[in-house]
Amino acid sequence: MRFSAVPAIVLVCLTLAGCTSTSGPDVLASAAPSRETTNSIAPPAAVPSSAIPSADIGASGQQVAPSQEVLAWAGPIPEPKAFEPTTRTVGAPLPAERPMTAMMVPPARPPLAEPAVQRPDLPDMDETGQPRTRSKLYGRQFRDAKPINFGSASPQKLPVHGVDVSRWQGDIDWPKLRTQGANFAYIKATDGGDHLDPMFKTNWRKAKDAGLRRGAYHFFYWCRTAGEQADWFIRNVPRDPDALPPVIDVEWNGESACKRRPTRETVLEKMQVFMDKLENYYGKRPVIYTAPDFYADNLQGAFQNYPFWLRSVAAHPSKRYPGRKWVFWQYSGSGLSHGVEGKIDLNVFNGSPDQWMRWSAGRPSNGMMAAND
């Protein structure tokens, strides 16, 4: 037993010595493929990665096999700082001692506003359902350089008067003009496809500041396409929800450089193109302004669903435009008023103050545009 054990011990020692002398680090490293993928050596599969601190890997000094990829960052691996002792100032709170209430409690939300109640029966409700501030209506105090006796159909019997203006009225005192009875104003904006009234922007701003309801009008030029003229108007007239509907002014003008007088069919076609573009852009059906001769040539029986603004300075509109419904009547081209130098066109709305509030807010009432016989 003693003799047989000695050779066995000697054999084991020789075996271990052989392993040590013939197997270096390079051989061991080449025995299995490298598992490195990015910037660290992966731990053996048998040991969970969470059990090996990253600091031990950085300090191990393990050699990287030649087959391993070169790291993009080759500087020394920094030691982790999470477990190093920190210097604490006496009296300073630890992070855990800081108050957390302000961070965890969300700010109180304001209460939600109740939905507005729509009241379509009231003429003075705005689009949010809130009471609309009713602008004060001023009585007519205009004078006339060439007064006309309209008899029992006098425009003075209607309560809502206004004016239309252009560059020829010069610098207007809009607050003064309003107190004289100008409750609304139509302001010359454009004509043709390239002309802008030089006073339009000033009048547009000042009329609104003075409390007038105002709209813009375009003088139609028969030697230019309707589409060009609509685009020019849209380019220059703001889309203001408080503005009155836009106006297309159609008439024969002997002083114009354009002497063309298209056929009735062409006139109606061009007007329709222009009005469709404006209605699509502003969301309001345009008003048609015209004079007796142009109306007789082109517009009798046409555009029944459009509001009309009729010029008739010597008789009631029913005499010049039989059977035609109208919204505005231009009854004088020789008006006089404080707040403006020279003559000014005078107009009147065909309805009561409540009907005016409805129409100017985009809610015309039944019968409001009936012909006034």
Side-chain angles (χ1 to χ4, degrees):
M1 295 291 293
R2 183 185 303 266
F3 176 79
S4 61
V6 171
I9 293 173
V10 172
L11 180 62
V12 171
C13 291
L14 292 175
T15 302
L16 291 175
C19 291
T20 302
S21 60
T22 60
S23 298
D26 294 338
V27 177
L28 292 175
S30 62
S34 170
R35 291 174 291 174
E36 181 179 7
T37 56
T38 56
N39 63 346
S40 63
I41 300 173
V47 182
S49 59
S50 59
I52 303 177
S54 58
D56 292 342
I57 295 177
S60 62
Q62 183 173 351
Q63 298 292 328
V64 179
S67 63
Q68 294 171 335
E69 67 180 68
V70 179
L71 304 183
W73 176 73
I77 301 175
E79 295 294 333
K81 307 294 184 180
F83 300 104
E84 290 185 358
T86 58
T87 302
R88 179 186 177 190
T89 304
V90 177
L94 292 174
E97 297 172 357
R98 294 176 181 173
M100 302 295 292
T101 305
M103 298 177 58
M104 301 180 63
V105 179
R109 289 185 177 182
L112 296 176
E114 296 183 0
V117 178
Q118 300 294 331
R119 294 291 303 278
D121 56 312
L122 296 179
D124 54 348
M125 305 294 284
D126 64 17
E127 62 276 2
T128 66
Q130 300 300 317
R132 186 186 299 276
T133 301
R134 183 186 292 267
S135 60
K136 180 179 179 179
L137 292 178
Y138 287 87
R140 178 187 182 276
Q141 299 185 44
F142 303 126
R143 303 177 310 282
D144 202 320
K146 299 178 180 180
I148 298 294
N149 183 5
F150 292 99
S152 61
S154 172
Q156 297 186 34
K157 293 187 176 182
L158 293 169
V160 186
H161 289 251
V163 298
D164 61 276
V165 302
S166 67
R167 63 181 298 181
W168 304 114
Q169 278 66 50
D171 190 8
I172 299 172
D173 184 343
W174 283 100
K176 176 65 71 175
L177 182 60
R178 184 189 179 200
T179 63
Q180 300 303 297
N183 297 293
F184 64 87
Y186 267 106
I187 301 170
K188 170 72 173 293
T190 54
D191 60 77
D194 55 8
H195 179 73
L196 173 67
D197 189 288
M199 289 299 294
F200 170 69
K201 293 182 179 180
T202 298
N203 287 332
W204 185 255
R205 173 176 52 83
K206 288 187 175 182
K208 183 173 184 177
D209 290 345
L212 282 80
R213 297 302 303 272
R214 86 287 193 248
Y217 75 89
H218 172 84
F219 189 88
F220 202 86
Y221 191 68
W222 299 106
C223 295
R224 203 73 179 257
T225 68
E228 288 176 313
Q229 297 186 65
D231 292 341
W232 179 245
F233 184 89
I234 289 170
R235 176 179 172 180
N236 288 284
V237 178
R239 184 162 50 186
D240 184 347
D242 292 330
L244 298 175
V247 168
I248 175 175
D249 179 344
V250 285
E251 51 186 301
W252 301 132
N253 182 8
E255 299 179 1
S256 172
C258 177
K259 306 301 182 183
R260 183 180 302 170
R261 290 198 175 190
T263 65
R264 182 177 190 270
E265 292 73 16
T266 301
V267 165
L268 299 183
E269 179 185 3
K270 290 169 78 74
M271 288 179 62
Q272 192 69 70
V273 169
F274 182 88
M275 294 188 296
D276 284 348
K277 293 197 76 169
L278 263 61
E279 185 170 358
N280 288 336
Y281 183 78
Y282 294 101
K284 299 176 182 180
R285 176 150 291 188
V287 176
I288 300 171
Y289 170 92
T290 194
D293 57 343
F294 187 91
Y295 181 87
D297 290 344
N298 301 284
L299 297 179
Q300 292 188 71
F303 300 122
Q304 295 291 337
N305 294 325
Y306 282 79
F308 269 74
W309 175 10
L310 304 176
R311 175 178 174 83
S312 183
V313 297
H316 189 271
S318 62
K319 305 299 182 182
R320 297 288 186 264
Y321 310 86
R324 170 61 68 177
K325 298 176 181 180
W326 54 274
V327 175
F328 295 109
W329 170 16
Q330 186 184 82
Y331 61 86
S332 176
S334 55
L336 301 171
S337 175
H338 295 296
V340 61
E341 296 182 4
K343 298 176 182 179
I344 189 171
D345 292 337
L346 304 179
N347 304 271
V348 69
F349 172 77
N350 186 18
S352 67
D354 281 345
Q355 288 173 323
W356 165 248
M357 289 295 298
R358 286 184 178 275
W359 187 87
S360 61
R363 299 188 295 272
S365 57
N366 293 332
M368 192 270 305
M369 294 187 295
N372 222 4
D373 296 329

